[in-house]
Amino acid sequence: AQSVAQPEDQVNVAEGNPLTVKCTYSVSGNPYLFWYVQYPNRGLQFLLKYITGDNLVKGSYGFEAEFNKSQTSFHLKKPSALVSDSALYFCAVRGSISSGSARQLTFGSGTQLTVLP
Amino acid sequence: GAGVSQSPSNKVTEKGKDVELRCDPISGHTALYWYRQRLGQGLEFLIYFQGNSAPDKSGLPSDRFSAERTGESVSTLTIQRTQQEDSAVYLCASSFYSGNEQYFGPGTRLTVT
């Protein structure tokens, strides 16, 4: 079975400071990893993904994430936070089909990011 | 271009009634997913369609839930004899293929009174 853990329900950071939203995963085979953002009363928006290649993945709105295989982590980062980044962030994972993984994504419980002005 | 659309955006129904939720995926996307998001919680997988293959229904919580998809187009999620615990936002997503990123619709907020 595949699973995702987002250990922090809430992250607060001051505007202009770097931010990190943590994610660890468990999956069969090589992982497909995703980050999504959800603004109030809106659907989820895709931010970035890791499938293969460079461990540092760059995505929308200046966000990036670092894949660490040994720590089974995929933390979301941004060098300088904006107030407008305040939203709910979800990490998601699935394994490779060849390993028998499910095709649907398994989502973490979400982390509420608040950027303080 | 057009994204994933869902209708209705809000639905209030009485306990015991049936409801039907609709999802229009992005044109050309072969994979379609339904998820449920309860208040303050993460996404719960319900069902997955890929092309003409048999759907993966492993996430449906009970036999009151069913879904259909016509080819690679519209999907409907039906909840029969609704219960209060069915109250949630129902999200639909589509992707070009099952390995790719999913694009989500705005959701249908279902309230069962």
Side-chain angles (χ1 to χ4, degrees), chain B residues 60-67 78-81:
Chain B
L60 295 179
S62 78
D63 58 8
R64 296 187 295 105
F65 287 72
S66 63
T78 301
I79 309 173
Q80 296 178 310
R81 306 182 302 281

Side-chain angles (χ1 to χ4, degrees), chain A residues 34-37 39 45-49 58-61 63 76 89-90:
Chain A
F34 303 81
W35 275 102
Y36 287 83
V37 59
Y39 297 100
Q45 295 179 31
F46 168 75
L47 274 181
L48 51 79
K49 67 179 179 182
K58 294 188 182 297
S60 306
Y61 313 122
F63 283 93
L76 181 70
Y89 289 81
F90 290 97

Side-chain angles (χ1 to χ4, degrees), chain A:
Chain A
Q2 55 198 36
S3 64
V4 176
Q6 292 183 244
E8 301 157 318
D9 291 336
Q10 175 85 36
V11 170
N12 296 329
V13 64
E15 186 174 30
N17 283 3
L19 69 86
T20 298
V21 182
K22 296 179 180 177
C23 171
T24 58
Y25 65 90
S26 175
V27 72
S28 299
N30 294 321
Y32 290 51
L33 292 155
F34 303 81
W35 275 102
Y36 287 83
V37 59
Q38 186 176 35
Y39 297 100
N41 300 315
R42 301 272 298 275
L44 275 71
Q45 295 179 31
F46 168 75
L47 274 181
L48 51 79
K49 67 179 179 182
Y50 171 85
I51 294 178
T52 187
D54 290 341
N55 290 342
L56 185 64
V57 178
K58 294 188 182 297
S60 306
Y61 313 122
F63 283 93
E64 57 191 28
E66 186 168 11
F67 169 63
N68 187 315
K69 187 173 183 177
S70 63
Q71 297 185 4
T72 62
S73 67
F74 190 57
H75 301 331
L76 181 70
K77 300 181 180 183
K78 187 173 183 181
S80 179
L82 300 173
V83 173
S84 57
D85 293 330
S86 298
L88 187 58
Y89 289 81
F90 290 97
C91 181
V93 69
R94 52 159 282 203
S96 58
I97 299 301
S98 61
S99 67
S101 172
R103 294 177 184 271
Q104 73 274 14
L105 295 179
T106 296
F107 284 80
S109 56
T111 298
Q112 179 67 47
L113 173 68
T114 301
V115 181
L116 305 168

Side-chain angles (χ1 to χ4, degrees), chain B residues 30-67:
Chain B
T30 60
L32 186 147
Y33 311 77
W34 284 97
Y35 295 90
R36 178 169 68 180
Q37 185 178 28
R38 290 196 166 112
L39 186 64
Q41 298 186 22
L43 275 71
E44 176 187 5
F45 166 73
L46 296 178
I47 189 169
Y48 156 73
F49 297 90
Q50 172 63 55
N52 294 319
S53 301
D56 178 351
K57 304 179 181 179
S58 60
L60 295 179
S62 78
D63 58 8
R64 296 187 295 105
F65 287 72
S66 63

Side-chain angles (χ1 to χ4, degrees), chain B residues 86-101:
Chain B
D86 298 334
S87 296
V89 176
Y90 289 82
L91 292 165
C92 174
S94 70
S95 66
F96 180 66
Y97 192 65
S98 62
N100 290 5
E101 61 269 24

